[in-house]
Amino acid sequence: MNLSRSPHIITIDVPSQTSTRIELYIWNTGSQPPSPQYTLSKKIPSSNNISTYYNISPYTQEYYNFTTFQNIYNTYDTAISTNFVVQYVVEKFKTIGGVETTAGTETGEFMNGYGYYMEGANPVGFTNVGLDEGTYFYNYDSDLPTSQANAMAGTIDVNFTDVNEFIRYTNLRTGVVTNIAFSTLGLRTFPRVHDSNLADGNKTELIRGASLRWTGTFKSQCEPKYQPVIIDFVNKYGSWSRIFFQKAKKRSINVKTDNYKINPATIPYSQTAQGQVKEFNTTGTETIKLNTGWVNDNYSEYLQQLLLSEKVTLLDYETDTQYTPVNVKTKSLEKQTGLNNGMMNYSLDFEFAFDMINNVV
């Protein structure tokens, strides 16, 4: 699995080549299109440096559509949305002695993730699960309806590559084990928490035969005072991730306006009710400050991926039942540890990604 937000380099290096060309086919659904979306060509830099390189990652980013979120909690082994995955074929060509011939074909898939610099060139996306191993928290309150938190622990995307793989859920209180098989090799979506374990939480594992491939622990928390806010974002693997902000929240509005001085209606000036300064182009945006509540050490990496995400949504049932697009306004974050900070709470600011006044034309 390749990552669209980091370079993916196509190299053509054939002895005696003088120039190269690639045809790039990109699609989400169906089969390969009949014609390439992009055709790129290069001449070799010099006779003693004949390699040519093409970074195809930027061409894939326009094909994603993250306007929907698979918010499943009791459906298993679901096909990942084709809006989240881009398929590609690269036909490579070389020219030697004025004659162009094929230089091979590369096929694969992209998701809208990224690799870190220290991971080196052509970082590979997840091979098992599109979420880092660790312990995560979600809200559970038996007094709330299913739609408002109890069934919203989130999902994981799993890349099945072997027929002997399956997902195992282990209840954290009772130890009851539930195994779920998959139907098709490739990317499938599963709930983080089995619907029978929502009150207790569970350990979720990817098993291959007798070996453990991935594990994540998902613990329920009951917040008795505040209505939790859900933040969904596309993480470093290109998968949707979910963070519950359990504690106090504060909303603010920011208003911008232009103004000019007006001429009096009569001279000499007599209409004091008219005023002297007129405002126009008044617009407003809303921001919200959220607090995670007490979390563990691995949340620093989790929140780092949130800050680096280009797609973030917010769900606050106190004001709306829709997923609302937001931008992360916080641009720096101290990474806390239990050793240095003891109890850890993170406070982040978000700005709603639209003006309060509908001015879309």
PDB file of all heavy atoms in Angstrom, residues 203-232:
ATOM      1  N   LYS A 203      -9.909  -6.153  23.846  1.00  0.00           N
ATOM      2  CA  LYS A 203      -8.650  -6.204  23.124  1.00  0.00           C
ATOM      3  C   LYS A 203      -8.964  -6.744  21.741  1.00  0.00           C
ATOM      4  O   LYS A 203      -9.647  -7.762  21.594  1.00  0.00           O
ATOM      5  CB  LYS A 203      -7.650  -7.099  23.851  1.00  0.00           C
ATOM      6  CG  LYS A 203      -6.309  -7.233  23.143  1.00  0.00           C
ATOM      7  CD  LYS A 203      -5.287  -7.964  24.002  1.00  0.00           C
ATOM      8  CE  LYS A 203      -5.710  -9.390  24.264  1.00  0.00           C
ATOM      9  NZ  LYS A 203      -4.665 -10.160  24.985  1.00  0.00           N
ATOM     10  N   THR A 204      -8.468  -6.060  20.713  1.00  0.00           N
ATOM     11  CA  THR A 204      -8.706  -6.461  19.334  1.00  0.00           C
ATOM     12  C   THR A 204      -7.381  -6.905  18.741  1.00  0.00           C
ATOM     13  O   THR A 204      -6.387  -6.184  18.823  1.00  0.00           O
ATOM     14  CB  THR A 204      -9.301  -5.304  18.522  1.00  0.00           C
ATOM     15  OG1 THR A 204     -10.495  -4.840  19.162  1.00  0.00           O
ATOM     16  CG2 THR A 204      -9.629  -5.740  17.105  1.00  0.00           C
ATOM     17  N   GLU A 205      -7.379  -8.099  18.125  1.00  0.00           N
ATOM     18  CA  GLU A 205      -6.143  -8.655  17.590  1.00  0.00           C
ATOM     19  C   GLU A 205      -6.345  -9.139  16.163  1.00  0.00           C
ATOM     20  O   GLU A 205      -7.423  -9.625  15.810  1.00  0.00           O
ATOM     21  CB  GLU A 205      -5.663  -9.828  18.450  1.00  0.00           C
ATOM     22  CG  GLU A 205      -5.338  -9.457  19.880  1.00  0.00           C
ATOM     23  CD  GLU A 205      -5.157 -10.677  20.759  1.00  0.00           C
ATOM     24  OE1 GLU A 205      -6.087 -11.517  20.795  1.00  0.00           O
ATOM     25  OE2 GLU A 205      -4.092 -10.795  21.393  1.00  0.00           O
ATOM     26  N   LEU A 206      -5.302  -8.993  15.358  1.00  0.00           N
ATOM     27  CA  LEU A 206      -5.246  -9.626  14.051  1.00  0.00           C
ATOM     28  C   LEU A 206      -4.377 -10.867  14.196  1.00  0.00           C
ATOM     29  O   LEU A 206      -3.194 -10.771  14.558  1.00  0.00           O
ATOM     30  CB  LEU A 206      -4.664  -8.680  13.004  1.00  0.00           C
ATOM     31  CG  LEU A 206      -4.404  -9.286  11.614  1.00  0.00           C
ATOM     32  CD1 LEU A 206      -5.703  -9.774  10.973  1.00  0.00           C
ATOM     33  CD2 LEU A 206      -3.706  -8.280  10.701  1.00  0.00           C
ATOM     34  N   ILE A 207      -4.963 -12.022  13.936  1.00  0.00           N
ATOM     35  CA  ILE A 207      -4.290 -13.304  14.112  1.00  0.00           C
ATOM     36  C   ILE A 207      -4.062 -13.942  12.749  1.00  0.00           C
ATOM     37  O   ILE A 207      -4.940 -13.913  11.880  1.00  0.00           O
ATOM     38  CB  ILE A 207      -5.124 -14.254  14.993  1.00  0.00           C
ATOM     39  CG1 ILE A 207      -5.523 -13.572  16.321  1.00  0.00           C
ATOM     40  CG2 ILE A 207      -4.367 -15.543  15.251  1.00  0.00           C
ATOM     41  CD1 ILE A 207      -4.386 -13.311  17.255  1.00  0.00           C
ATOM     42  N   ARG A 208      -2.871 -14.510  12.565  1.00  0.00           N
ATOM     43  CA  ARG A 208      -2.605 -15.330  11.392  1.00  0.00           C
ATOM     44  C   ARG A 208      -2.171 -16.709  11.866  1.00  0.00           C
ATOM     45  O   ARG A 208      -1.061 -16.878  12.390  1.00  0.00           O
ATOM     46  CB  ARG A 208      -1.504 -14.733  10.515  1.00  0.00           C
ATOM     47  CG  ARG A 208      -1.152 -15.619   9.297  1.00  0.00           C
ATOM     48  CD  ARG A 208       0.013 -15.071   8.509  1.00  0.00           C
ATOM     49  NE  ARG A 208      -0.353 -13.832   7.838  1.00  0.00           N
ATOM     50  CZ  ARG A 208       0.508 -13.097   7.122  1.00  0.00           C
ATOM     51  NH1 ARG A 208       1.771 -13.496   7.006  1.00  0.00           N
ATOM     52  NH2 ARG A 208       0.107 -11.985   6.543  1.00  0.00           N
ATOM     53  N   GLY A 209      -3.053 -17.675  11.722  1.00  0.00           N
ATOM     54  CA  GLY A 209      -2.753 -19.012  12.230  1.00  0.00           C
ATOM     55  C   GLY A 209      -2.613 -18.970  13.742  1.00  0.00           C
ATOM     56  O   GLY A 209      -3.557 -18.675  14.468  1.00  0.00           O
ATOM     57  N   ALA A 210      -1.391 -19.217  14.221  1.00  0.00           N
ATOM     58  CA  ALA A 210      -1.123 -19.158  15.656  1.00  0.00           C
ATOM     59  C   ALA A 210      -0.303 -17.936  16.041  1.00  0.00           C
ATOM     60  O   ALA A 210       0.085 -17.790  17.202  1.00  0.00           O
ATOM     61  CB  ALA A 210      -0.383 -20.426  16.092  1.00  0.00           C
ATOM     62  N   SER A 211      -0.035 -17.027  15.094  1.00  0.00           N
ATOM     63  CA  SER A 211       0.818 -15.867  15.373  1.00  0.00           C
ATOM     64  C   SER A 211      -0.003 -14.591  15.456  1.00  0.00           C
ATOM     65  O   SER A 211      -1.007 -14.423  14.760  1.00  0.00           O
ATOM     66  CB  SER A 211       1.895 -15.726  14.298  1.00  0.00           C
ATOM     67  OG  SER A 211       1.310 -15.443  13.042  1.00  0.00           O
ATOM     68  N   LEU A 212       0.441 -13.693  16.328  1.00  0.00           N
ATOM     69  CA  LEU A 212      -0.212 -12.406  16.530  1.00  0.00           C
ATOM     70  C   LEU A 212       0.411 -11.378  15.597  1.00  0.00           C
ATOM     71  O   LEU A 212       1.627 -11.158  15.619  1.00  0.00           O
ATOM     72  CB  LEU A 212      -0.052 -11.971  17.988  1.00  0.00           C
ATOM     73  CG  LEU A 212      -0.608 -10.592  18.364  1.00  0.00           C
ATOM     74  CD1 LEU A 212      -2.114 -10.552  18.179  1.00  0.00           C
ATOM     75  CD2 LEU A 212      -0.229 -10.244  19.803  1.00  0.00           C
ATOM     76  N   ARG A 213      -0.409 -10.733  14.781  1.00  0.00           N
ATOM     77  CA  ARG A 213       0.083  -9.754  13.817  1.00  0.00           C
ATOM     78  C   ARG A 213      -0.086  -8.318  14.288  1.00  0.00           C
ATOM     79  O   ARG A 213       0.692  -7.448  13.928  1.00  0.00           O
ATOM     80  CB  ARG A 213      -0.659  -9.930  12.487  1.00  0.00           C
ATOM     81  CG  ARG A 213      -0.609 -11.337  11.906  1.00  0.00           C
ATOM     82  CD  ARG A 213       0.761 -11.662  11.364  1.00  0.00           C
ATOM     83  NE  ARG A 213       1.072 -10.848  10.201  1.00  0.00           N
ATOM     84  CZ  ARG A 213       2.252 -10.824   9.594  1.00  0.00           C
ATOM     85  NH1 ARG A 213       3.237 -11.540  10.064  1.00  0.00           N
ATOM     86  NH2 ARG A 213       2.448 -10.070   8.520  1.00  0.00           N
ATOM     87  N   TRP A 214      -1.119  -8.052  15.070  1.00  0.00           N
ATOM     88  CA  TRP A 214      -1.410  -6.678  15.524  1.00  0.00           C
ATOM     89  C   TRP A 214      -2.338  -6.776  16.721  1.00  0.00           C
ATOM     90  O   TRP A 214      -3.173  -7.677  16.805  1.00  0.00           O
ATOM     91  CB  TRP A 214      -2.081  -5.879  14.403  1.00  0.00           C
ATOM     92  CG  TRP A 214      -2.416  -4.461  14.743  1.00  0.00           C
ATOM     93  CD1 TRP A 214      -1.649  -3.356  14.558  1.00  0.00           C
ATOM     94  CD2 TRP A 214      -3.640  -3.981  15.354  1.00  0.00           C
ATOM     95  NE1 TRP A 214      -2.291  -2.232  14.999  1.00  0.00           N
ATOM     96  CE2 TRP A 214      -3.527  -2.584  15.489  1.00  0.00           C
ATOM     97  CE3 TRP A 214      -4.809  -4.607  15.802  1.00  0.00           C
ATOM     98  CZ2 TRP A 214      -4.526  -1.811  16.043  1.00  0.00           C
ATOM     99  CZ3 TRP A 214      -5.812  -3.826  16.352  1.00  0.00           C
ATOM    100  CH2 TRP A 214      -5.674  -2.449  16.467  1.00  0.00           C
ATOM    101  N   THR A 215      -2.184  -5.815  17.662  1.00  0.00           N
ATOM    102  CA  THR A 215      -3.104  -5.771  18.803  1.00  0.00           C
ATOM    103  C   THR A 215      -3.373  -4.334  19.209  1.00  0.00           C
ATOM    104  O   THR A 215      -2.484  -3.469  19.158  1.00  0.00           O
ATOM    105  CB  THR A 215      -2.534  -6.565  19.998  1.00  0.00           C
ATOM    106  OG1 THR A 215      -3.482  -6.538  21.070  1.00  0.00           O
ATOM    107  CG2 THR A 215      -1.219  -5.955  20.483  1.00  0.00           C
ATOM    108  N   GLY A 216      -4.594  -4.068  19.581  1.00  0.00           N
ATOM    109  CA  GLY A 216      -4.998  -2.770  20.109  1.00  0.00           C
ATOM    110  C   GLY A 216      -5.996  -2.984  21.234  1.00  0.00           C
ATOM    111  O   GLY A 216      -6.824  -3.902  21.177  1.00  0.00           O
ATOM    112  N   THR A 217      -5.895  -2.164  22.271  1.00  0.00           N
ATOM    113  CA  THR A 217      -6.795  -2.264  23.420  1.00  0.00           C
ATOM    114  C   THR A 217      -7.702  -1.046  23.453  1.00  0.00           C
ATOM    115  O   THR A 217      -7.216   0.098  23.399  1.00  0.00           O
ATOM    116  CB  THR A 217      -5.998  -2.370  24.732  1.00  0.00           C
ATOM    117  OG1 THR A 217      -5.135  -3.510  24.666  1.00  0.00           O
ATOM    118  CG2 THR A 217      -6.932  -2.520  25.920  1.00  0.00           C
ATOM    119  N   PHE A 218      -8.993  -1.269  23.572  1.00  0.00           N
ATOM    120  CA  PHE A 218      -9.979  -0.194  23.538  1.00  0.00           C
ATOM    121  C   PHE A 218     -10.796  -0.238  24.829  1.00  0.00           C
ATOM    122  O   PHE A 218     -11.519  -1.205  25.077  1.00  0.00           O
ATOM    123  CB  PHE A 218     -10.865  -0.329  22.301  1.00  0.00           C
ATOM    124  CG  PHE A 218     -10.072  -0.335  21.022  1.00  0.00           C
ATOM    125  CD1 PHE A 218      -9.715  -1.537  20.422  1.00  0.00           C
ATOM    126  CD2 PHE A 218      -9.652   0.843  20.448  1.00  0.00           C
ATOM    127  CE1 PHE A 218      -8.960  -1.548  19.258  1.00  0.00           C
ATOM    128  CE2 PHE A 218      -8.894   0.842  19.281  1.00  0.00           C
ATOM    129  CZ  PHE A 218      -8.544  -0.352  18.695  1.00  0.00           C
ATOM    130  N   LYS A 219     -10.637   0.805  25.644  1.00  0.00           N
ATOM    131  CA  LYS A 219     -11.236   0.841  26.972  1.00  0.00           C
ATOM    132  C   LYS A 219     -12.384   1.838  27.005  1.00  0.00           C
ATOM    133  O   LYS A 219     -12.277   2.959  26.495  1.00  0.00           O
ATOM    134  CB  LYS A 219     -10.190   1.225  28.018  1.00  0.00           C
ATOM    135  CG  LYS A 219      -9.068   0.196  28.177  1.00  0.00           C
ATOM    136  CD  LYS A 219      -8.107   0.608  29.287  1.00  0.00           C
ATOM    137  CE  LYS A 219      -7.039  -0.455  29.522  1.00  0.00           C
ATOM    138  NZ  LYS A 219      -6.112  -0.072  30.618  1.00  0.00           N
ATOM    139  N   SER A 220     -13.479   1.424  27.635  1.00  0.00           N
ATOM    140  CA  SER A 220     -14.630   2.314  27.783  1.00  0.00           C
ATOM    141  C   SER A 220     -14.434   3.235  28.974  1.00  0.00           C
ATOM    142  O   SER A 220     -13.832   2.864  29.982  1.00  0.00           O
ATOM    143  CB  SER A 220     -15.908   1.498  27.948  1.00  0.00           C
ATOM    144  OG  SER A 220     -15.851   0.733  29.146  1.00  0.00           O
ATOM    145  N   GLN A 221     -14.924   4.460  28.836  1.00  0.00           N
ATOM    146  CA  GLN A 221     -14.941   5.438  29.918  1.00  0.00           C
ATOM    147  C   GLN A 221     -16.332   6.051  29.984  1.00  0.00           C
ATOM    148  O   GLN A 221     -16.953   6.296  28.954  1.00  0.00           O
ATOM    149  CB  GLN A 221     -13.905   6.541  29.695  1.00  0.00           C
ATOM    150  CG  GLN A 221     -12.457   6.103  29.784  1.00  0.00           C
ATOM    151  CD  GLN A 221     -11.501   7.263  29.563  1.00  0.00           C
ATOM    152  OE1 GLN A 221     -11.775   8.177  28.795  1.00  0.00           O
ATOM    153  NE2 GLN A 221     -10.365   7.231  30.234  1.00  0.00           N
ATOM    154  N   CYS A 222     -16.795   6.297  31.190  1.00  0.00           N
ATOM    155  CA  CYS A 222     -18.086   6.966  31.375  1.00  0.00           C
ATOM    156  C   CYS A 222     -17.834   8.378  31.865  1.00  0.00           C
ATOM    157  O   CYS A 222     -17.268   8.577  32.942  1.00  0.00           O
ATOM    158  CB  CYS A 222     -18.961   6.206  32.367  1.00  0.00           C
ATOM    159  SG  CYS A 222     -20.581   6.986  32.623  1.00  0.00           S
ATOM    160  N   GLU A 223     -18.215   9.358  31.059  1.00  0.00           N
ATOM    161  CA  GLU A 223     -18.076  10.756  31.445  1.00  0.00           C
ATOM    162  C   GLU A 223     -19.428  11.259  31.960  1.00  0.00           C
ATOM    163  O   GLU A 223     -20.356  11.465  31.181  1.00  0.00           O
ATOM    164  CB  GLU A 223     -17.617  11.590  30.245  1.00  0.00           C
ATOM    165  CG  GLU A 223     -17.627  13.093  30.467  1.00  0.00           C
ATOM    166  CD  GLU A 223     -16.953  13.500  31.775  1.00  0.00           C
ATOM    167  OE1 GLU A 223     -15.788  13.106  32.017  1.00  0.00           O
ATOM    168  OE2 GLU A 223     -17.616  14.192  32.581  1.00  0.00           O
ATOM    169  N   PRO A 224     -19.568  11.432  33.289  1.00  0.00           N
ATOM    170  CA  PRO A 224     -20.882  11.755  33.861  1.00  0.00           C
ATOM    171  C   PRO A 224     -21.279  13.217  33.742  1.00  0.00           C
ATOM    172  O   PRO A 224     -22.459  13.542  33.875  1.00  0.00           O
ATOM    173  CB  PRO A 224     -20.707  11.369  35.335  1.00  0.00           C
ATOM    174  CG  PRO A 224     -19.250  11.583  35.608  1.00  0.00           C
ATOM    175  CD  PRO A 224     -18.540  11.231  34.329  1.00  0.00           C
ATOM    176  N   LYS A 225     -20.311  14.108  33.487  1.00  0.00           N
ATOM    177  CA  LYS A 225     -20.607  15.540  33.548  1.00  0.00           C
ATOM    178  C   LYS A 225     -20.746  16.171  32.166  1.00  0.00           C
ATOM    179  O   LYS A 225     -21.689  16.933  31.922  1.00  0.00           O
ATOM    180  CB  LYS A 225     -19.519  16.262  34.347  1.00  0.00           C
ATOM    181  CG  LYS A 225     -19.772  17.750  34.532  1.00  0.00           C
ATOM    182  CD  LYS A 225     -18.702  18.380  35.422  1.00  0.00           C
ATOM    183  CE  LYS A 225     -18.967  19.877  35.634  1.00  0.00           C
ATOM    184  NZ  LYS A 225     -17.941  20.498  36.504  1.00  0.00           N
ATOM    185  N   TYR A 226     -19.822  15.882  31.270  1.00  0.00           N
ATOM    186  CA  TYR A 226     -19.785  16.541  29.975  1.00  0.00           C
ATOM    187  C   TYR A 226     -20.266  15.611  28.861  1.00  0.00           C
ATOM    188  O   TYR A 226     -20.111  14.401  28.945  1.00  0.00           O
ATOM    189  CB  TYR A 226     -18.362  17.003  29.642  1.00  0.00           C
ATOM    190  CG  TYR A 226     -17.784  17.973  30.645  1.00  0.00           C
ATOM    191  CD1 TYR A 226     -16.876  17.538  31.614  1.00  0.00           C
ATOM    192  CD2 TYR A 226     -18.121  19.320  30.630  1.00  0.00           C
ATOM    193  CE1 TYR A 226     -16.332  18.418  32.535  1.00  0.00           C
ATOM    194  CE2 TYR A 226     -17.583  20.213  31.544  1.00  0.00           C
ATOM    195  CZ  TYR A 226     -16.691  19.752  32.499  1.00  0.00           C
ATOM    196  OH  TYR A 226     -16.152  20.624  33.410  1.00  0.00           O
ATOM    197  N   GLN A 227     -20.843  16.210  27.835  1.00  0.00           N
ATOM    198  CA  GLN A 227     -21.167  15.467  26.615  1.00  0.00           C
ATOM    199  C   GLN A 227     -19.899  15.372  25.773  1.00  0.00           C
ATOM    200  O   GLN A 227     -19.377  16.382  25.306  1.00  0.00           O
ATOM    201  CB  GLN A 227     -22.255  16.186  25.821  1.00  0.00           C
ATOM    202  CG  GLN A 227     -22.496  15.621  24.430  1.00  0.00           C
ATOM    203  CD  GLN A 227     -23.204  14.284  24.436  1.00  0.00           C
ATOM    204  OE1 GLN A 227     -24.264  14.139  25.021  1.00  0.00           O
ATOM    205  NE2 GLN A 227     -22.616  13.305  23.773  1.00  0.00           N
ATOM    206  N   PRO A 228     -19.348  14.174  25.588  1.00  0.00           N
ATOM    207  CA  PRO A 228     -18.102  14.057  24.814  1.00  0.00           C
ATOM    208  C   PRO A 228     -18.270  14.533  23.374  1.00  0.00           C
ATOM    209  O   PRO A 228     -19.353  14.451  22.786  1.00  0.00           O
ATOM    210  CB  PRO A 228     -17.782  12.565  24.871  1.00  0.00           C
ATOM    211  CG  PRO A 228     -18.503  12.066  26.075  1.00  0.00           C
ATOM    212  CD  PRO A 228     -19.754  12.883  26.154  1.00  0.00           C
ATOM    213  N   VAL A 229     -17.177  15.027  22.823  1.00  0.00           N
ATOM    214  CA  VAL A 229     -17.127  15.444  21.426  1.00  0.00           C
ATOM    215  C   VAL A 229     -16.233  14.463  20.675  1.00  0.00           C
ATOM    216  O   VAL A 229     -15.161  14.090  21.149  1.00  0.00           O
ATOM    217  CB  VAL A 229     -16.579  16.877  21.288  1.00  0.00           C
ATOM    218  CG1 VAL A 229     -16.407  17.259  19.817  1.00  0.00           C
ATOM    219  CG2 VAL A 229     -17.506  17.864  21.986  1.00  0.00           C
ATOM    220  N   ILE A 230     -16.687  14.029  19.503  1.00  0.00           N
ATOM    221  CA  ILE A 230     -15.947  13.062  18.703  1.00  0.00           C
ATOM    222  C   ILE A 230     -15.207  13.785  17.591  1.00  0.00           C
ATOM    223  O   ILE A 230     -15.792  14.584  16.856  1.00  0.00           O
ATOM    224  CB  ILE A 230     -16.896  12.011  18.099  1.00  0.00           C
ATOM    225  CG1 ILE A 230     -17.516  11.152  19.214  1.00  0.00           C
ATOM    226  CG2 ILE A 230     -16.173  11.129  17.092  1.00  0.00           C
ATOM    227  CD1 ILE A 230     -18.590  10.215  18.725  1.00  0.00           C
ATOM    228  N   ILE A 231     -13.917  13.521  17.482  1.00  0.00           N
ATOM    229  CA  ILE A 231     -13.112  14.033  16.390  1.00  0.00           C
ATOM    230  C   ILE A 231     -12.668  12.848  15.533  1.00  0.00           C
ATOM    231  O   ILE A 231     -12.042  11.911  16.019  1.00  0.00           O
ATOM    232  CB  ILE A 231     -11.877  14.801  16.902  1.00  0.00           C
ATOM    233  CG1 ILE A 231     -12.300  16.087  17.611  1.00  0.00           C
ATOM    234  CG2 ILE A 231     -10.920  15.109  15.752  1.00  0.00           C
ATOM    235  CD1 ILE A 231     -12.880  17.150  16.696  1.00  0.00           C
ATOM    236  N   ASP A 232     -13.024  12.894  14.259  1.00  0.00           N
ATOM    237  CA  ASP A 232     -12.561  11.901  13.283  1.00  0.00           C
ATOM    238  C   ASP A 232     -11.555  12.564  12.358  1.00  0.00           C
ATOM    239  O   ASP A 232     -11.746  13.722  11.950  1.00  0.00           O
ATOM    240  CB  ASP A 232     -13.724  11.353  12.464  1.00  0.00           C
ATOM    241  CG  ASP A 232     -14.651  10.479  13.286  1.00  0.00           C
ATOM    242  OD1 ASP A 232     -14.149   9.740  14.144  1.00  0.00           O
ATOM    243  OD2 ASP A 232     -15.876  10.543  13.071  1.00  0.00           O
TER     244      ASP A 232
END
